[in-house]
Amino acid sequence: MESVRQIVTLEQFIIERENEFSFSSGELSQLLRDIGLAARIVNREVNKAGLVDILGITGETNVQGEEVKKLDIFANEQFINALSAGGATCMIASEENEDFIRVNSLVSKNAKYIVMIDPLDGSSNIDVNVSIGTIFSINRRLENMPEPGLADCLQSGMHQVAAGYVIYGSSTMLVYTTGFGVNGFTLDPSLGEFFLSHRNMQIPEKINSYSINEGNYFKFDYPIRRFLAWIKEEEKSEGRPYNARYIGSMVADLHRILLKGGLFLYPGLKDAPNGKLRLLYEANPMAFIIEQAGGKATNGFQRILELTPHELHQRTPLFIGSRKGVEEVESFLKGDVKEHTLALLPNLKYWHPVPEEGGIRPLKLGKANP
Ligand code: AFP
């Protein structure tokens, strides 16, 4: 007899998995439902973006000093509204808002979760019909505090209870983890329902591609430039040269890497030593997902999930993807590389001193070091 393929909706999956949490009272499940709902609404607008007058810049800038487009504002509102109405979060921090928002309704103010969200990541791709995404990270509220506040957000990434992203691409997917593997759900737009399509996702070890904005080449430190030269060298036995693929939407680049294997890099720059990406809204949630899928995420020297955040909109250099690729770039950053690669770019200097604390080895660049 032919076996019947089991169809599982996001809703069913959330209920099945609720018992993974010993302290579960259904609030986390409610949060995931709220995010699923807002994602469907944002998806509808993203798909209409070319048809209605929703594109274009509003003339405002966000707290990072970047242009805010209408769809960013719309997505921000949808997620805040859905999360506030759901009653399972007492506080929301959004990349689009300078400060966190306390949800003061009767049901929400005692809720035990905090949500940090980048409602529409890759927004410069909206006008050109390229994939964009939403990234979220969920913390449990600290105990013994009179009311939720900044300290709840500034917990290290190790304390995330769930994280995920939505990719609005050729199909729309919601991918999330609660620390028990990574699962992906694809939206059936005709039914308005997410279905489990990628169970227990594992990142391939083989590097299929590397992703970096190489236009910043002359702002990168010497080890990064040398690494970029090394990955372009032909060494078939090591799978080099690697293919280059860069979308400029981290969600889309990392979704590809999660499925195919690869490495995403956003290093510090000469004029921005911490790079561009935000620790709480982008690096932490993606690091949680990628680690759960068997990959690795560091700032070049330390595990992203172990960094202590100091401010809401803090940025961090990010090296994330297949374990092998991240370890390769780390070895270049630590100066611990094969002699022959020193000849590739021998005369460049570091822009920034490499930190020596926290178990980080000082650089050993060998004879060819200028
Ligand atoms: P936007 O949301 O401003 O487009 O930024 C997207 C992003 O945060 C991340 O998704 C990309 O990987 C990265 O920035 C692209 O940055 P560059 O344009 O500097 O390469």
Side-chain angles (χ1 to χ4, degrees), residues 33 82 101 141 154 162 177 199 221 252 308 329:
R33 271 185 215 111
I101 301 162
R141 185 179 160 185
L154 301 186
T177 182
R199 196 183 274 275
D221 263 346
T308 308
V329 71

Side-chain angles (χ1 to χ4, degrees), residues 277-289:
L277 303 177
R278 293 80 168 169
L279 176 59
L280 296 179
Y281 312 106
E282 295 174 301
N284 267 344
M286 286 305 195
F288 190 19
I289 294 165

Side-chain angles (χ1 to χ4, degrees), residues 232-305:
K232 292 185 190 84
E233 274 185 334
E234 183 158 332
E235 185 51 73
K236 288 209 171 89
S237 62
E238 293 177 16
R240 287 184 287 131
Y242 299 156
N243 285 322
R245 294 283 184 276
Y246 190 69
I247 297 171
S249 286
M250 187 175 68
V251 170
D253 277 314
L254 275 179
H255 185 65
R256 184 192 58 249
I257 288 170
L258 180 57
L259 293 175
K260 305 270 184 196
L263 173 66
F264 178 94
L265 313 89
Y266 210 111
L269 307 175
K270 186 181 181 186
D271 50 0
N274 292 319
K276 175 181 181 190
L277 303 177
R278 293 80 168 169
L279 176 59
L280 296 179
Y281 312 106
E282 295 174 301
N284 267 344
M286 286 305 195
F288 190 19
I289 294 165
I290 292 292
E291 281 199 7
Q292 280 292 314
K296 191 168 177 179
T298 75
N299 66 358
F301 301 97
Q302 283 167 282
R303 194 173 162 214
I304 290 291
L305 296 183

Side-chain angles (χ1 to χ4, degrees), residues 210-228:
Y210 74 99
S211 275
I212 186 170
N213 184 347
E214 230 165 326
N216 288 328
Y217 185 83
F218 287 104
K219 294 183 179 180
F220 296 147
D221 263 346
Y222 172 40
I224 298 293
R225 298 191 205 185
R226 224 175 41 189
F227 176 73
L228 292 172

Side-chain angles (χ1 to χ4, degrees), residues 11-302:
E11 182 66 30
Q12 288 166 333
F13 190 84
I14 288 171
I15 293 167
E16 267 173 35
R17 295 294 178 103
E18 211 163 77
N19 57 8
E20 279 173 352
F21 302 95
S22 45
F23 49 79
S24 174
S25 58
E27 278 181 69
L28 186 60
S29 302
Q30 180 60 42
L31 266 185
L32 294 168
R33 271 185 215 111
D34 299 340
I35 288 169
L37 171 65
R40 278 178 284 159
I41 297 172
V42 171
N43 177 65
R44 193 186 59 199
E45 291 309 305
V46 167
N47 287 337
K48 286 199 311 209
L51 299 171
V52 294
D53 183 27
I54 200 161
L55 293 182
I57 298 158
T58 61
E60 291 174 35
T61 56
N62 71 9
V63 289
Q64 323 286 342
E66 299 155 337
E67 285 170 344
V68 175
K69 302 197 172 180
K70 285 179 184 171
L71 211 46
D72 303 44
I73 297 170
F74 178 83
N76 196 32
E77 283 171 3
Q78 292 309 315
F79 280 98
I80 291 173
N81 290 347
L83 290 165
S84 306
T89 179
C90 56
M91 201 169 84
I92 303 160
S94 163
E95 196 234 318
E96 294 294 341
N97 298 103
E98 186 148 7
D99 217 343
F100 52 77
I101 301 162
R102 286 199 187 97
V103 188
N104 280 324
S105 70
L106 225 57
V107 268
S108 303
K109 67 177 183 197
N110 294 320
K112 36 177 200 276
Y113 295 106
I114 312 292
V115 181
M116 287 160 288
I117 192 153
D118 183 352
L120 214 56
D121 185 60
S123 48
S124 50
N125 279 323
I126 297 169
D127 314 34
V128 290
N129 217 345
V130 171
S131 300
I132 46 183
T134 296
I135 312 174
F136 61 91
S137 159
I138 302 174
N139 281 356
R140 216 168 131 79
R141 185 179 160 185
L142 295 168
E143 282 167 15
N144 307 324
M145 304 285 265
E147 58 178 359
L150 188 59
D152 294 293
C153 298
L154 301 186
Q155 303 178 61
S156 78
M158 296 285 290
H159 291 95
Q160 293 173 101
V161 291
Y165 63 80
V166 183
I167 176 167
Y168 310 98
S170 50
S171 55
T172 293
M173 278 189 72
L174 190 154
V175 175
Y176 80 90
T177 182
T178 52
F180 297 88
V182 180
N183 291 285
F185 301 80
T186 303
L187 181 69
D188 179 334
S190 61
L191 298 173
E193 189 85 67
F194 281 103
F195 290 98
L196 178 62
S197 52
H198 297 63
R199 196 183 274 275
N200 196 17
M201 298 169 87
Q202 290 290 312
I203 185 167
E205 197 44 48
K206 191 168 177 298
I207 310 292
N208 176 271
S209 63
Y210 74 99
S211 275
I212 186 170
N213 184 347
E214 230 165 326
N216 288 328
Y217 185 83
F218 287 104
K219 294 183 179 180
F220 296 147
D221 263 346
Y222 172 40
I224 298 293
R225 298 191 205 185
R226 224 175 41 189
F227 176 73
L228 292 172
W230 179 77
I231 59 181
K232 292 185 190 84
E233 274 185 334
E234 183 158 332
E235 185 51 73
K236 288 209 171 89
S237 62
E238 293 177 16
R240 287 184 287 131
Y242 299 156
N243 285 322
R245 294 283 184 276
Y246 190 69
I247 297 171
S249 286
M250 187 175 68
V251 170
D253 277 314
L254 275 179
H255 185 65
R256 184 192 58 249
I257 288 170
L258 180 57
L259 293 175
K260 305 270 184 196
L263 173 66
F264 178 94
L265 313 89
Y266 210 111
L269 307 175
K270 186 181 181 186
D271 50 0
N274 292 319
K276 175 181 181 190
L277 303 177
R278 293 80 168 169
L279 176 59
L280 296 179
Y281 312 106
E282 295 174 301
N284 267 344
M286 286 305 195
F288 190 19
I289 294 165
I290 292 292
E291 281 199 7
Q292 280 292 314
K296 191 168 177 179
T298 75
N299 66 358
F301 301 97
Q302 283 167 282

